[in-house]
Amino acid sequence: MGRELLNPSALHPAPGFSHIAVATGSRTIYFAGQVALDPEFNLVGAGDLRAQTVAAMHNLETAMREVDVTWDDIVRRTVYTTTPTEYETITSGIDEVTGRAGHPAQTILGVTGLALPGLLVEIEATASL
């Protein structure tokens, strides 16, 4: 495993993320932001943040498999969304795909729009192997 996750007791609880992810590997892999597009460039889950989050995470997982990365190797995740206050919905969609993997350090950013009309979320990640 290429990471150690820490949550200092002096900080607030970290629902759906870790305050600190220590990269312990010697190889770093950066994954481009993934969105809810299928292989034919069709939008998945129009108007549904959770469905789009699941689709984006599945796309991220597909990219990860290409370089033999698992969820336990992810040290950083950035979520760009048009609805940042819906972090519980986003976390629920992430958990559906990642299962019991610990959550890495994460930032959720509110944006006014994404690359294509109808997109509600984009997720990028960094892995340490």
Side-chain angles (χ1 to χ4, degrees):
M1 194 173 348
R3 69 180 185 174
E4 178 184 2
L5 302 178
L6 304 168
N7 286 299
S9 61
L11 292 175
H12 63 80
F17 70 98
S18 293
H19 283 290
I20 303 166
V22 179
T24 59
S26 61
R27 182 175 172 214
T28 304
I29 301 171
Y30 303 92
F31 294 97
Q34 297 298 312
V35 296
L37 292 176
D38 70 14
E40 288 77 40
F41 214 72
N42 297 308
L43 178 63
V44 176
D48 185 335
L49 178 60
R50 189 173 190 289
Q52 286 198 22
T53 300
V54 168
M57 289 297 289
H58 278 304
N59 286 342
L60 178 57
E61 188 172 49
T62 297
M64 291 166 52
R65 278 195 303 266
E66 186 71 20
V67 289
D68 296 320
V69 168
T70 70
W71 294 115
D72 289 330
D73 299 317
I74 301 296
V75 294
R76 180 86 177 129
R77 184 170 55 218
T78 305
V79 178
Y80 303 90
T81 179
T82 58
T83 55
T85 59
E86 296 296 320
Y87 59 88
E88 290 174 339
T89 301
I90 293 167
T91 299
S92 172
I94 288 170
D95 284 343
E96 179 178 321
V97 179
T98 64
R100 295 179 127 341
H103 290 276
Q106 174 179 284
T107 300
I108 296 179
L109 298 168
V111 296
T112 58
L114 292 163
L116 297 171
L119 289 174
L120 303 174
V121 66
E122 181 170 339
I123 303 170
E124 67 181 19
T126 303
S128 176
L129 296 177

